[in-house]
PDB file of all heavy atoms in Angstrom:
ATOM      1  N   PHE F   1      13.257 -11.452 -31.035  1.00 52.00           N
ATOM      2  CA  PHE F   1      13.332 -10.050 -31.424  1.00 52.00           C
ATOM      3  C   PHE F   1      14.786  -9.622 -31.565  1.00 52.00           C
ATOM      4  O   PHE F   1      15.642  -9.989 -30.762  1.00 52.00           O
ATOM      5  CB  PHE F   1      12.680  -9.146 -30.374  1.00 52.00           C
ATOM      6  CG  PHE F   1      11.214  -9.373 -30.182  1.00 52.00           C
ATOM      7  CD1 PHE F   1      10.676  -9.405 -28.910  1.00 52.00           C
ATOM      8  CD2 PHE F   1      10.373  -9.557 -31.261  1.00 52.00           C
ATOM      9  CE1 PHE F   1       9.320  -9.605 -28.708  1.00 52.00           C
ATOM     10  CE2 PHE F   1       9.028  -9.764 -31.078  1.00 52.00           C
ATOM     11  CZ  PHE F   1       8.497  -9.788 -29.806  1.00 52.00           C
ATOM     12  N   PHE F   2      15.025  -8.788 -32.561  1.00 46.00           N
ATOM     13  CA  PHE F   2      16.332  -8.142 -32.665  1.00 46.00           C
ATOM     14  C   PHE F   2      16.385  -6.979 -31.681  1.00 46.00           C
ATOM     15  O   PHE F   2      17.366  -6.747 -31.005  1.00 46.00           O
ATOM     16  CB  PHE F   2      16.587  -7.647 -34.093  1.00 46.00           C
ATOM     17  CG  PHE F   2      17.857  -6.850 -34.228  1.00 46.00           C
ATOM     18  CD1 PHE F   2      19.088  -7.487 -34.167  1.00 46.00           C
ATOM     19  CD2 PHE F   2      17.828  -5.478 -34.399  1.00 46.00           C
ATOM     20  CE1 PHE F   2      20.264  -6.760 -34.280  1.00 46.00           C
ATOM     21  CE2 PHE F   2      18.998  -4.749 -34.518  1.00 46.00           C
ATOM     22  CZ  PHE F   2      20.219  -5.399 -34.454  1.00 46.00           C
ATOM     23  N   ASP F   3      15.280  -6.233 -31.620  1.00 47.00           N
ATOM     24  CA  ASP F   3      15.175  -5.095 -30.714  1.00 47.00           C
ATOM     25  C   ASP F   3      13.844  -5.195 -29.985  1.00 47.00           C
ATOM     26  O   ASP F   3      12.798  -4.890 -30.540  1.00 47.00           O
ATOM     27  CB  ASP F   3      15.256  -3.779 -31.505  1.00 47.00           C
ATOM     28  CG  ASP F   3      15.120  -2.552 -30.619  1.00 47.00           C
ATOM     29  OD1 ASP F   3      15.004  -2.718 -29.392  1.00 47.00           O
ATOM     30  OD2 ASP F   3      15.125  -1.427 -31.141  1.00 47.00           O
ATOM     31  N   SER F   4      13.873  -5.628 -28.724  1.00 49.00           N
ATOM     32  CA  SER F   4      12.635  -5.877 -28.001  1.00 49.00           C
ATOM     33  C   SER F   4      11.835  -4.612 -27.736  1.00 49.00           C
ATOM     34  O   SER F   4      10.650  -4.667 -27.437  1.00 49.00           O
ATOM     35  CB  SER F   4      12.933  -6.575 -26.670  1.00 49.00           C
ATOM     36  OG  SER F   4      13.722  -5.747 -25.837  1.00 49.00           O
ATOM     37  N   ARG F   5      12.476  -3.447 -27.843  1.00 53.00           N
ATOM     38  CA  ARG F   5      11.754  -2.197 -27.627  1.00 53.00           C
ATOM     39  C   ARG F   5      11.092  -1.690 -28.907  1.00 53.00           C
ATOM     40  O   ARG F   5      10.491  -0.616 -28.918  1.00 53.00           O
ATOM     41  CB  ARG F   5      12.689  -1.133 -27.052  1.00 53.00           C
ATOM     42  CG  ARG F   5      13.000  -1.355 -25.580  1.00 53.00           C
ATOM     43  CD  ARG F   5      13.914  -0.264 -25.028  1.00 53.00           C
ATOM     44  NE  ARG F   5      13.946  -0.273 -23.584  1.00 53.00           N
ATOM     45  CZ  ARG F   5      14.674  -1.105 -22.845  1.00 53.00           C
ATOM     46  NH1 ARG F   5      15.417  -2.014 -23.434  1.00 53.00           N
ATOM     47  NH2 ARG F   5      14.651  -1.045 -21.534  1.00 53.00           N
ATOM     48  N   ASN F   6      11.195  -2.445 -29.982  1.00 58.00           N
ATOM     49  CA  ASN F   6      10.606  -2.009 -31.249  1.00 58.00           C
ATOM     50  C   ASN F   6       9.476  -2.931 -31.688  1.00 58.00           C
ATOM     51  O   ASN F   6       9.181  -3.052 -32.874  1.00 58.00           O
ATOM     52  CB  ASN F   6      11.679  -1.939 -32.341  1.00 58.00           C
ATOM     53  CG  ASN F   6      11.222  -1.086 -33.512  1.00 58.00           C
ATOM     54  OD1 ASN F   6      10.479  -0.113 -33.346  1.00 58.00           O
ATOM     55  ND2 ASN F   6      11.657  -1.445 -34.707  1.00 58.00           N
ATOM     56  N   ASN F   7       8.847  -3.594 -30.735  1.00 79.00           N
ATOM     57  CA  ASN F   7       7.686  -4.437 -31.038  1.00 79.00           C
ATOM     58  C   ASN F   7       6.542  -3.560 -31.539  1.00 79.00           C
ATOM     59  O   ASN F   7       6.239  -2.525 -30.952  1.00 79.00           O
ATOM     60  CB  ASN F   7       7.258  -5.180 -29.766  1.00 79.00           C
ATOM     61  CG  ASN F   7       6.255  -6.286 -30.042  1.00 79.00           C
ATOM     62  OD1 ASN F   7       5.358  -6.132 -30.853  1.00 79.00           O
ATOM     63  ND2 ASN F   7       6.402  -7.395 -29.353  1.00 79.00           N
ATOM     64  N   ARG F   8       5.878  -3.976 -32.609  1.00 86.00           N
ATOM     65  CA  ARG F   8       4.785  -3.162 -33.172  1.00 86.00           C
ATOM     66  C   ARG F   8       3.486  -3.951 -33.269  1.00 86.00           C
ATOM     67  O   ARG F   8       2.548  -3.526 -33.948  1.00 86.00           O
ATOM     68  CB  ARG F   8       5.163  -2.670 -34.586  1.00 86.00           C
ATOM     69  CG  ARG F   8       6.473  -1.929 -34.701  1.00 86.00           C
ATOM     70  CD  ARG F   8       6.522  -0.675 -33.881  1.00 86.00           C
ATOM     71  NE  ARG F   8       5.534   0.319 -34.284  1.00 86.00           N
ATOM     72  CZ  ARG F   8       5.425   1.513 -33.704  1.00 86.00           C
ATOM     73  NH1 ARG F   8       6.214   1.845 -32.703  1.00 86.00           N
ATOM     74  NH2 ARG F   8       4.496   2.359 -34.117  1.00 86.00           N
ATOM     75  N   SER F   9       3.376  -5.088 -32.572  1.00 92.00           N
ATOM     76  CA  SER F   9       2.186  -5.935 -32.734  1.00 92.00           C
ATOM     77  C   SER F   9       0.915  -5.247 -32.243  1.00 92.00           C
ATOM     78  O   SER F   9      -0.146  -5.374 -32.875  1.00 92.00           O
ATOM     79  CB  SER F   9       2.378  -7.276 -32.024  1.00 92.00           C
ATOM     80  OG  SER F   9       2.752  -7.096 -30.676  1.00 92.00           O
ATOM     81  N   LEU F  10       0.967  -4.527 -31.124  1.00 95.00           N
ATOM     82  CA  LEU F  10      -0.223  -3.833 -30.649  1.00 95.00           C
ATOM     83  C   LEU F  10      -0.616  -2.694 -31.592  1.00 95.00           C
ATOM     84  O   LEU F  10      -1.803  -2.428 -31.794  1.00 95.00           O
ATOM     85  CB  LEU F  10      -0.006  -3.302 -29.231  1.00 95.00           C
ATOM     86  CG  LEU F  10      -0.002  -4.356 -28.121  1.00 95.00           C
ATOM     87  CD1 LEU F  10       0.420  -3.746 -26.792  1.00 95.00           C
ATOM     88  CD2 LEU F  10      -1.362  -5.029 -27.990  1.00 95.00           C
ATOM     89  N   GLU F  11       0.368  -2.051 -32.171  1.00 96.00           N
ATOM     90  CA  GLU F  11       0.064  -0.999 -33.150  1.00 96.00           C
ATOM     91  C   GLU F  11      -0.572  -1.588 -34.407  1.00 96.00           C
ATOM     92  O   GLU F  11      -1.494  -0.995 -34.982  1.00 96.00           O
ATOM     93  CB  GLU F  11       1.343  -0.219 -33.501  1.00 96.00           C
ATOM     94  CG  GLU F  11       1.803   0.754 -32.445  1.00 96.00           C
ATOM     95  CD  GLU F  11       2.588   0.122 -31.296  1.00 96.00           C
ATOM     96  OE1 GLU F  11       2.809  -1.107 -31.335  1.00 96.00           O
ATOM     97  OE2 GLU F  11       2.985   0.845 -30.374  1.00 96.00           O
ATOM     98  N   LYS F  12      -0.110  -2.768 -34.819  1.00 95.00           N
ATOM     99  CA  LYS F  12      -0.743  -3.448 -35.962  1.00 95.00           C
ATOM    100  C   LYS F  12      -2.183  -3.820 -35.633  1.00 95.00           C
ATOM    101  O   LYS F  12      -3.079  -3.695 -36.471  1.00 95.00           O
ATOM    102  CB  LYS F  12       0.051  -4.713 -36.327  1.00 95.00           C
ATOM    103  CG  LYS F  12       1.377  -4.451 -37.026  1.00 95.00           C
ATOM    104  CD  LYS F  12       2.168  -5.733 -37.203  1.00 95.00           C
ATOM    105  CE  LYS F  12       1.454  -6.727 -38.103  1.00 95.00           C
ATOM    106  NZ  LYS F  12       2.257  -7.948 -38.318  1.00 95.00           N
ATOM    107  N   LEU F  13      -2.397  -4.254 -34.398  1.00 97.00           N
ATOM    108  CA  LEU F  13      -3.747  -4.598 -33.975  1.00 97.00           C
ATOM    109  C   LEU F  13      -4.636  -3.356 -33.963  1.00 97.00           C
ATOM    110  O   LEU F  13      -5.790  -3.399 -34.404  1.00 97.00           O
ATOM    111  CB  LEU F  13      -3.720  -5.235 -32.588  1.00 97.00           C
ATOM    112  CG  LEU F  13      -5.074  -5.655 -32.015  1.00 97.00           C
ATOM    113  CD1 LEU F  13      -5.704  -6.751 -32.868  1.00 97.00           C
ATOM    114  CD2 LEU F  13      -4.931  -6.112 -30.574  1.00 97.00           C
ATOM    115  N   ASN F  14      -4.118  -2.246 -33.464  1.00 97.00           N
ATOM    116  CA  ASN F  14      -4.874  -0.995 -33.483  1.00 97.00           C
ATOM    117  C   ASN F  14      -5.360  -0.668 -34.885  1.00 97.00           C
ATOM    118  O   ASN F  14      -6.508  -0.256 -35.088  1.00 97.00           O
ATOM    119  CB  ASN F  14      -4.015   0.153 -32.955  1.00 97.00           C
ATOM    120  CG  ASN F  14      -3.933   0.212 -31.441  1.00 97.00           C
ATOM    121  OD1 ASN F  14      -4.728  -0.425 -30.758  1.00 97.00           O
ATOM    122  ND2 ASN F  14      -2.987   0.967 -30.923  1.00 97.00           N
ATOM    123  N   ALA F  15      -4.482  -0.833 -35.863  1.00 97.00           N
ATOM    124  CA  ALA F  15      -4.846  -0.514 -37.247  1.00 97.00           C
ATOM    125  C   ALA F  15      -5.979  -1.413 -37.735  1.00 97.00           C
ATOM    126  O   ALA F  15      -6.888  -0.959 -38.436  1.00 97.00           O
ATOM    127  CB  ALA F  15      -3.622  -0.663 -38.151  1.00 97.00           C
ATOM    128  N   ILE F  16      -5.947  -2.697 -37.368  1.00 97.00           N
ATOM    129  CA  ILE F  16      -7.009  -3.626 -37.757  1.00 97.00           C
ATOM    130  C   ILE F  16      -8.341  -3.218 -37.132  1.00 97.00           C
ATOM    131  O   ILE F  16      -9.394  -3.276 -37.770  1.00 97.00           O
ATOM    132  CB  ILE F  16      -6.640  -5.064 -37.337  1.00 97.00           C
ATOM    133  CG1 ILE F  16      -5.432  -5.561 -38.139  1.00 97.00           C
ATOM    134  CG2 ILE F  16      -7.826  -6.013 -37.518  1.00 97.00           C
ATOM    135  CD1 ILE F  16      -4.844  -6.861 -37.616  1.00 97.00           C
ATOM    136  N   LEU F  17      -8.287  -2.775 -35.884  1.00 98.00           N
ATOM    137  CA  LEU F  17      -9.507  -2.426 -35.148  1.00 98.00           C
ATOM    138  C   LEU F  17      -9.993  -1.019 -35.455  1.00 98.00           C
ATOM    139  O   LEU F  17     -11.104  -0.650 -35.073  1.00 98.00           O
ATOM    140  CB  LEU F  17      -9.270  -2.573 -33.640  1.00 98.00           C
ATOM    141  CG  LEU F  17      -8.763  -3.940 -33.151  1.00 98.00           C
ATOM    142  CD1 LEU F  17      -8.616  -3.935 -31.635  1.00 98.00           C
ATOM    143  CD2 LEU F  17      -9.681  -5.069 -33.609  1.00 98.00           C
ATOM    144  N   GLY F  18      -9.160  -0.222 -36.134  1.00 97.00           N
ATOM    145  CA  GLY F  18      -9.556   1.129 -36.512  1.00 97.00           C
ATOM    146  C   GLY F  18      -9.004   2.222 -35.635  1.00 97.00           C
ATOM    147  O   GLY F  18      -9.269   3.414 -35.865  1.00 97.00           O
ATOM    148  N   CYS F  19      -8.248   1.876 -34.582  1.00 96.00           N
ATOM    149  CA  CYS F  19      -7.694   2.883 -33.671  1.00 96.00           C
ATOM    150  C   CYS F  19      -6.504   3.607 -34.291  1.00 96.00           C
ATOM    151  O   CYS F  19      -5.823   3.071 -35.170  1.00 96.00           O
ATOM    152  CB  CYS F  19      -7.201   2.227 -32.378  1.00 96.00           C
ATOM    153  SG  CYS F  19      -8.364   1.152 -31.557  1.00 96.00           S
ATOM    154  N   ASN F  20      -6.256   4.795 -33.799  1.00 97.00           N
ATOM    155  CA  ASN F  20      -5.015   5.508 -34.101  1.00 97.00           C
ATOM    156  C   ASN F  20      -3.995   5.145 -33.028  1.00 97.00           C
ATOM    157  O   ASN F  20      -4.307   5.198 -31.833  1.00 97.00           O
ATOM    158  CB  ASN F  20      -5.232   7.021 -34.090  1.00 97.00           C
ATOM    159  CG  ASN F  20      -6.256   7.469 -35.107  1.00 97.00           C
ATOM    160  OD1 ASN F  20      -6.273   6.987 -36.223  1.00 97.00           O
ATOM    161  ND2 ASN F  20      -7.122   8.392 -34.706  1.00 97.00           N
ATOM    162  N   SER F  21      -2.789   4.768 -33.430  1.00 97.00           N
ATOM    163  CA  SER F  21      -1.748   4.425 -32.460  1.00 97.00           C
ATOM    164  C   SER F  21      -0.960   5.664 -32.068  1.00 97.00           C
ATOM    165  O   SER F  21      -0.507   6.416 -32.930  1.00 97.00           O
ATOM    166  CB  SER F  21      -0.796   3.374 -33.043  1.00 97.00           C
ATOM    167  OG  SER F  21      -1.424   2.115 -33.144  1.00 97.00           O
ATOM    168  N   ILE F  22      -0.806   5.865 -30.769  1.00 97.00           N
ATOM    169  CA  ILE F  22      -0.056   7.000 -30.238  1.00 97.00           C
ATOM    170  C   ILE F  22       1.311   6.514 -29.773  1.00 97.00           C
ATOM    171  O   ILE F  22       1.401   5.592 -28.953  1.00 97.00           O
ATOM    172  CB  ILE F  22      -0.808   7.656 -29.063  1.00 97.00           C
ATOM    173  CG1 ILE F  22      -2.176   8.149 -29.512  1.00 97.00           C
ATOM    174  CG2 ILE F  22       0.020   8.788 -28.463  1.00 97.00           C
ATOM    175  CD1 ILE F  22      -2.161   9.196 -30.606  1.00 97.00           C
ATOM    176  N   ASP F  23       2.358   7.123 -30.285  1.00 95.00           N
ATOM    177  CA  ASP F  23       3.707   6.772 -29.863  1.00 95.00           C
ATOM    178  C   ASP F  23       4.095   7.648 -28.674  1.00 95.00           C
ATOM    179  O   ASP F  23       3.722   8.814 -28.607  1.00 95.00           O
ATOM    180  CB  ASP F  23       4.690   6.975 -31.013  1.00 95.00           C
ATOM    181  CG  ASP F  23       6.001   6.242 -30.783  1.00 95.00           C
ATOM    182  OD1 ASP F  23       6.072   5.430 -29.824  1.00 95.00           O
ATOM    183  OD2 ASP F  23       6.958   6.487 -31.531  1.00 95.00           O
ATOM    184  N   TYR F  24       4.819   7.074 -27.742  1.00 94.00           N
ATOM    185  CA  TYR F  24       5.290   7.833 -26.584  1.00 94.00           C
ATOM    186  C   TYR F  24       6.468   7.104 -25.975  1.00 94.00           C
ATOM    187  O   TYR F  24       6.736   5.941 -26.311  1.00 94.00           O
ATOM    188  CB  TYR F  24       4.158   8.031 -25.566  1.00 94.00           C
ATOM    189  CG  TYR F  24       3.701   6.759 -24.887  1.00 94.00           C
ATOM    190  CD1 TYR F  24       4.087   6.467 -23.588  1.00 94.00           C
ATOM    191  CD2 TYR F  24       2.899   5.832 -25.552  1.00 94.00           C
ATOM    192  CE1 TYR F  24       3.682   5.298 -22.965  1.00 94.00           C
ATOM    193  CE2 TYR F  24       2.488   4.662 -24.934  1.00 94.00           C
ATOM    194  CZ  TYR F  24       2.886   4.399 -23.648  1.00 94.00           C
ATOM    195  OH  TYR F  24       2.499   3.236 -23.035  1.00 94.00           O
ATOM    196  N   SER F  25       7.173   7.741 -25.061  1.00 87.00           N
ATOM    197  CA  SER F  25       8.467   7.230 -24.617  1.00 87.00           C
ATOM    198  C   SER F  25       8.381   5.964 -23.768  1.00 87.00           C
ATOM    199  O   SER F  25       9.348   5.210 -23.696  1.00 87.00           O
ATOM    200  CB  SER F  25       9.214   8.306 -23.823  1.00 87.00           C
ATOM    201  OG  SER F  25       8.487   8.675 -22.667  1.00 87.00           O
ATOM    202  N   GLY F  26       7.243   5.696 -23.102  1.00 88.00           N
ATOM    203  CA  GLY F  26       7.198   4.574 -22.177  1.00 88.00           C
ATOM    204  C   GLY F  26       6.556   3.314 -22.696  1.00 88.00           C
ATOM    205  O   GLY F  26       6.333   2.374 -21.921  1.00 88.00           O
ATOM    206  N   ARG F  27       6.259   3.237 -23.979  1.00 89.00           N
ATOM    207  CA  ARG F  27       5.437   2.154 -24.515  1.00 89.00           C
ATOM    208  C   ARG F  27       6.037   0.754 -24.303  1.00 89.00           C
ATOM    209  O   ARG F  27       5.297  -0.227 -24.210  1.00 89.00           O
ATOM    210  CB  ARG F  27       5.155   2.374 -26.008  1.00 89.00           C
ATOM    211  CG  ARG F  27       6.394   2.520 -26.856  1.00 89.00           C
ATOM    212  CD  ARG F  27       6.078   2.822 -28.314  1.00 89.00           C
ATOM    213  NE  ARG F  27       5.572   1.661 -28.992  1.00 89.00           N
ATOM    214  CZ  ARG F  27       6.349   0.670 -29.431  1.00 89.00           C
ATOM    215  NH1 ARG F  27       7.662   0.704 -29.226  1.00 89.00           N
ATOM    216  NH2 ARG F  27       5.816  -0.346 -30.059  1.00 89.00           N
ATOM    217  N   ALA F  28       7.337   0.648 -24.239  1.00 85.00           N
ATOM    218  CA  ALA F  28       7.975  -0.667 -24.073  1.00 85.00           C
ATOM    219  C   ALA F  28       8.827  -0.726 -22.809  1.00 85.00           C
ATOM    220  O   ALA F  28       9.737  -1.535 -22.713  1.00 85.00           O
ATOM    221  CB  ALA F  28       8.827  -1.000 -25.295  1.00 85.00           C
ATOM    222  N   GLU F  29       8.496   0.117 -21.842  1.00 84.00           N
ATOM    223  CA  GLU F  29       9.268   0.150 -20.610  1.00 84.00           C
ATOM    224  C   GLU F  29       8.582  -0.648 -19.497  1.00 84.00           C
ATOM    225  O   GLU F  29       7.498  -1.192 -19.678  1.00 84.00           O
ATOM    226  CB  GLU F  29       9.489   1.608 -20.175  1.00 84.00           C
ATOM    227  CG  GLU F  29      10.229   2.452 -21.207  1.00 84.00           C
ATOM    228  CD  GLU F  29      11.588   1.879 -21.579  1.00 84.00           C
ATOM    229  OE1 GLU F  29      12.248   1.278 -20.697  1.00 84.00           O
ATOM    230  OE2 GLU F  29      11.991   2.012 -22.739  1.00 84.00           O
ATOM    231  N   CYS F  30       9.223  -0.695 -18.333  1.00 86.00           N
ATOM    232  CA  CYS F  30       8.735  -1.477 -17.198  1.00 86.00           C
ATOM    233  C   CYS F  30       7.603  -0.743 -16.488  1.00 86.00           C
ATOM    234  O   CYS F  30       7.600   0.485 -16.403  1.00 86.00           O
ATOM    235  CB  CYS F  30       9.896  -1.712 -16.238  1.00 86.00           C
ATOM    236  SG  CYS F  30       9.455  -2.628 -14.748  1.00 86.00           S
ATOM    237  N   CYS F  31       6.645  -1.505 -15.952  1.00 84.00           N
ATOM    238  CA  CYS F  31       5.550  -0.912 -15.177  1.00 84.00           C
ATOM    239  C   CYS F  31       5.898  -0.801 -13.696  1.00 84.00           C
ATOM    240  O   CYS F  31       5.181  -0.142 -12.942  1.00 84.00           O
ATOM    241  CB  CYS F  31       4.268  -1.731 -15.335  1.00 84.00           C
ATOM    242  SG  CYS F  31       4.281  -3.301 -14.404  1.00 84.00           S
ATOM    243  N   GLY F  32       6.950  -1.452 -13.266  1.00 77.00           N
ATOM    244  CA  GLY F  32       7.356  -1.377 -11.867  1.00 77.00           C
ATOM    245  C   GLY F  32       6.598  -2.296 -10.926  1.00 77.00           C
ATOM    246  O   GLY F  32       6.775  -2.209  -9.710  1.00 77.00           O
ATOM    247  N   PHE F  33       5.769  -3.194 -11.458  1.00 79.00           N
ATOM    248  CA  PHE F  33       4.944  -4.051 -10.594  1.00 79.00           C
ATOM    249  C   PHE F  33       5.781  -4.822  -9.584  1.00 79.00           C
ATOM    250  O   PHE F  33       5.419  -4.929  -8.407  1.00 79.00           O
ATOM    251  CB  PHE F  33       4.120  -5.030 -11.441  1.00 79.00           C
ATOM    252  CG  PHE F  33       3.280  -5.971 -10.622  1.00 79.00           C
ATOM    253  CD1 PHE F  33       1.992  -5.620 -10.245  1.00 79.00           C
ATOM    254  CD2 PHE F  33       3.766  -7.214 -10.216  1.00 79.00           C
ATOM    255  CE1 PHE F  33       1.209  -6.484  -9.473  1.00 79.00           C
ATOM    256  CE2 PHE F  33       2.993  -8.071  -9.453  1.00 79.00           C
ATOM    257  CZ  PHE F  33       1.715  -7.706  -9.082  1.00 79.00           C
ATOM    258  N   HIS F  34       6.887  -5.375 -10.030  1.00 75.00           N
ATOM    259  CA  HIS F  34       7.661  -6.257  -9.159  1.00 75.00           C
ATOM    260  C   HIS F  34       8.456  -5.494  -8.114  1.00 75.00           C
ATOM    261  O   HIS F  34       9.064  -6.106  -7.232  1.00 75.00           O
ATOM    262  CB  HIS F  34       8.563  -7.160  -9.997  1.00 75.00           C
ATOM    263  CG  HIS F  34       7.788  -8.129 -10.843  1.00 75.00           C
ATOM    264  ND1 HIS F  34       7.255  -9.282 -10.339  1.00 75.00           N
ATOM    265  CD2 HIS F  34       7.410  -8.081 -12.144  1.00 75.00           C
ATOM    266  CE1 HIS F  34       6.597  -9.930 -11.289  1.00 75.00           C
ATOM    267  NE2 HIS F  34       6.678  -9.216 -12.382  1.00 75.00           N
ATOM    268  N   THR F  35       8.461  -4.182  -8.200  1.00 75.00           N
ATOM    269  CA  THR F  35       9.057  -3.371  -7.130  1.00 75.00           C
ATOM    270  C   THR F  35       7.986  -2.852  -6.180  1.00 75.00           C
ATOM    271  O   THR F  35       8.290  -2.452  -5.052  1.00 75.00           O
ATOM    272  CB  THR F  35       9.817  -2.159  -7.705  1.00 75.00           C
ATOM    273  OG1 THR F  35       8.882  -1.220  -8.248  1.00 75.00           O
ATOM    274  CG2 THR F  35      10.798  -2.582  -8.773  1.00 75.00           C
ATOM    275  N   ALA F  36       6.721  -2.852  -6.632  1.00 70.00           N
ATOM    276  CA  ALA F  36       5.652  -2.196  -5.879  1.00 70.00           C
ATOM    277  C   ALA F  36       5.395  -2.858  -4.527  1.00 70.00           C
ATOM    278  O   ALA F  36       5.028  -2.179  -3.561  1.00 70.00           O
ATOM    279  CB  ALA F  36       4.367  -2.165  -6.700  1.00 70.00           C
ATOM    280  N   ALA F  37       5.580  -4.169  -4.433  1.00 71.00           N
ATOM    281  CA  ALA F  37       5.341  -4.858  -3.165  1.00 71.00           C
ATOM    282  C   ALA F  37       6.274  -4.345  -2.082  1.00 71.00           C
ATOM    283  O   ALA F  37       5.899  -4.251  -0.911  1.00 71.00           O
ATOM    284  CB  ALA F  37       5.516  -6.363  -3.343  1.00 71.00           C
ATOM    285  N   GLY F  38       7.495  -3.982  -2.482  1.00 72.00           N
ATOM    286  CA  GLY F  38       8.452  -3.474  -1.516  1.00 72.00           C
ATOM    287  C   GLY F  38       8.464  -1.963  -1.405  1.00 72.00           C
ATOM    288  O   GLY F  38       8.719  -1.418  -0.336  1.00 72.00           O
ATOM    289  N   ASN F  39       8.174  -1.297  -2.528  1.00 79.00           N
ATOM    290  CA  ASN F  39       8.231   0.166  -2.535  1.00 79.00           C
ATOM    291  C   ASN F  39       7.373   0.703  -3.682  1.00 79.00           C
ATOM    292  O   ASN F  39       7.835   0.787  -4.816  1.00 79.00           O
ATOM    293  CB  ASN F  39       9.677   0.636  -2.673  1.00 79.00           C
ATOM    294  CG  ASN F  39       9.811   2.140  -2.512  1.00 79.00           C
ATOM    295  OD1 ASN F  39       8.826   2.860  -2.446  1.00 79.00           O
ATOM    296  ND2 ASN F  39      11.050   2.621  -2.452  1.00 79.00           N
ATOM    297  N   GLU F  40       6.138   1.067  -3.379  1.00 84.00           N
ATOM    298  CA  GLU F  40       5.231   1.581  -4.409  1.00 84.00           C
ATOM    299  C   GLU F  40       5.736   2.870  -5.036  1.00 84.00           C
ATOM    300  O   GLU F  40       5.390   3.187  -6.171  1.00 84.00           O
ATOM    301  CB  GLU F  40       3.836   1.808  -3.826  1.00 84.00           C
ATOM    302  CG  GLU F  40       3.026   0.549  -3.604  1.00 84.00           C
ATOM    303  CD  GLU F  40       1.595   0.838  -3.196  1.00 84.00           C
ATOM    304  OE1 GLU F  40       1.264   2.034  -3.004  1.00 84.00           O
ATOM    305  OE2 GLU F  40       0.802  -0.118  -3.088  1.00 84.00           O
ATOM    306  N   THR F  41       6.552   3.600  -4.302  1.00 88.00           N
ATOM    307  CA  THR F  41       7.027   4.891  -4.797  1.00 88.00           C
ATOM    308  C   THR F  41       7.762   4.753  -6.122  1.00 88.00           C
ATOM    309  O   THR F  41       7.633   5.594  -7.015  1.00 88.00           O
ATOM    310  CB  THR F  41       7.950   5.551  -3.755  1.00 88.00           C
ATOM    311  OG1 THR F  41       7.238   5.693  -2.530  1.00 88.00           O
ATOM    312  CG2 THR F  41       8.419   6.929  -4.229  1.00 88.00           C
ATOM    313  N   VAL F  42       8.533   3.678  -6.259  1.00 84.00           N
ATOM    314  CA  VAL F  42       9.285   3.463  -7.498  1.00 84.00           C
ATOM    315  C   VAL F  42       8.330   3.339  -8.682  1.00 84.00           C
ATOM    316  O   VAL F  42       8.502   3.985  -9.718  1.00 84.00           O
ATOM    317  CB  VAL F  42      10.179   2.211  -7.389  1.00 84.00           C
ATOM    318  CG1 VAL F  42      10.857   1.921  -8.729  1.00 84.00           C
ATOM    319  CG2 VAL F  42      11.216   2.387  -6.299  1.00 84.00           C
ATOM    320  N   ALA F  43       7.297   2.490  -8.530  1.00 84.00           N
ATOM    321  CA  ALA F  43       6.328   2.287  -9.607  1.00 84.00           C
ATOM    322  C   ALA F  43       5.555   3.571  -9.894  1.00 84.00           C
ATOM    323  O   ALA F  43       5.303   3.914 -11.057  1.00 84.00           O
ATOM    324  CB  ALA F  43       5.366   1.158  -9.247  1.00 84.00           C
TER     325      ALA F  43
END
């Protein structure tokens, strides 16, 4: 990837399946899983 935050594969899949894709600020951000074991508050 040139820009890993601009992946559109799931949006392309949505179009094939008939869904409307919703854009929002967290779509390519971290879920916090790897911090949750030590501190769930962060996630």
